[in-house]
Amino acid sequence: MLEYIILGMLMQKEMSGYDLKQWMAECTSYFFTASFGSIYPALKRIEQKGYVIYRESVEDGKFKKLYFITDLGKDYFLRWLEQPIEFEKANHNYLVNIYFYKYLPIDVALKNLKEFVTVLEQNLNQINKQKISAENNYNLKHNFMYSTLTCGIHYFQAIITWCNDLIIQLEE
């Protein structure tokens, strides 16, 4: 999936590995994130396949590799994108913890759940800010990026509601 995300970003403009990481932190981190340790090897793989090439640049005395997508890379990306969406069960590792909370003292489980809700609320606030920015800067009629923000908002709201319901049950 990372290679497709990189190609998708490079469809917009040329970017360095650092730029890609920053973009993911800002735009896709609520549904997909990657470390520098996975971004740079992915760039190398897609470069070897001929999907991207780079040019070297020096900005403010810093050496940069700026990657851009080739016609072959565009064709590859668009063929993948045209395929029907496949649903996959999401990886919700936090549920593994909660599943086994019966082994914890109730006060520890409640503390952990409340801290988890706080983290979820912080993420929800961040996505809401991104949504407001998108509403002010884009034509929303056909903005699929904006739609993913809306999905993220609904997702976090649902998990927060579920956790809060569980907390209420445990406190009774």
Side-chain angles (χ1 to χ4, degrees), residues 35-95:
S35 67
F36 287 116
S38 56
I39 291 171
Y40 287 107
L43 282 167
K44 185 77 170 163
R45 284 191 304 273
I46 60 178
E47 178 192 358
Q48 290 172 342
K49 294 175 184 175
Y51 299 156
V52 301
I53 56 177
Y54 68 88
R55 68 177 178 86
E56 296 176 347
S57 171
V58 177
E59 294 178 17
D60 299 323
K62 294 181 181 178
F63 173 78
K64 288 177 116 179
K65 283 184 178 180
L66 294 172
Y67 292 86
F68 58 95
I69 193 166
T70 63
D71 288 340
L72 181 64
K74 288 177 186 177
D75 290 342
Y76 176 75
F77 175 75
L78 292 172
R79 278 194 314 274
W80 167 78
L81 194 59
E82 288 173 350
Q83 298 304 308
I85 297 170
E86 291 183 27
F87 178 78
E88 294 182 25
K89 291 183 181 179
N91 184 358
H92 301 291
N93 290 335
Y94 62 88
L95 289 175

Side-chain angles (χ1 to χ4, degrees):
M1 188 59 59
L2 177 57
E3 292 177 4
Y4 294 119
I5 290 173
I6 291 171
L7 291 171
M9 285 312 304
L10 295 177
M11 291 283 285
Q12 294 180 44
K13 64 179 185 174
E14 67 180 12
M15 293 184 175
S16 67
Y18 177 82
D19 296 332
L20 288 162
K21 173 66 173 151
Q22 294 304 109
W23 178 86
M24 283 184 206
E26 176 70 24
C27 299
T28 65
S29 62
Y30 65 93
F31 63 89
F32 189 92
T33 190
S35 67
F36 287 116
S38 56
I39 291 171
Y40 287 107
L43 282 167
K44 185 77 170 163
R45 284 191 304 273
I46 60 178
E47 178 192 358
Q48 290 172 342
K49 294 175 184 175
Y51 299 156
V52 301
I53 56 177
Y54 68 88
R55 68 177 178 86
E56 296 176 347
S57 171
V58 177
E59 294 178 17
D60 299 323
K62 294 181 181 178
F63 173 78
K64 288 177 116 179
K65 283 184 178 180
L66 294 172
Y67 292 86
F68 58 95
I69 193 166
T70 63
D71 288 340
L72 181 64
K74 288 177 186 177
D75 290 342
Y76 176 75
F77 175 75
L78 292 172
R79 278 194 314 274
W80 167 78
L81 194 59
E82 288 173 350
Q83 298 304 308
I85 297 170
E86 291 183 27
F87 178 78
E88 294 182 25
K89 291 183 181 179
N91 184 358
H92 301 291
N93 290 335
Y94 62 88
L95 289 175
V96 175
N97 296 74
I98 295 169
Y99 183 86
F100 292 111
Y101 270 13
K102 68 181 180 180
Y103 299 113
L104 288 177
I106 198 74
D107 60 321
V108 174
L110 281 167
K111 177 182 142 311
N112 288 353
L113 286 167
K114 288 176 182 179
E115 288 174 3
F116 183 54
V117 168
T118 299
V119 170
L120 291 169
E121 289 171 340
Q122 291 167 349
N123 280 278
L124 177 59
N125 289 336
Q126 182 179 352
I127 294 172
N128 275 318
K129 287 177 188 173
Q130 291 174 357
K131 181 182 176 210
I132 291 166
S133 173
E135 289 169 344
N136 294 327
N137 296 309
Y138 299 105
N139 173 355
L140 301 180
K141 185 174 181 183
H142 297 292
N143 192 319
F144 297 104
M145 291 177 212
Y146 177 82
S147 294
T148 63
L149 289 172
T150 304
C151 179
I153 289 167
H154 291 299
Y155 171 78
F156 280 106
Q157 288 170 336
I159 302 302
I160 290 167
T161 299
W162 175 77
C163 283
N164 283 330
D165 290 347
L166 179 57
I167 290 166
I168 291 168
Q169 291 172 9
L170 294 171
E171 289 179 332
E172 291 178 350

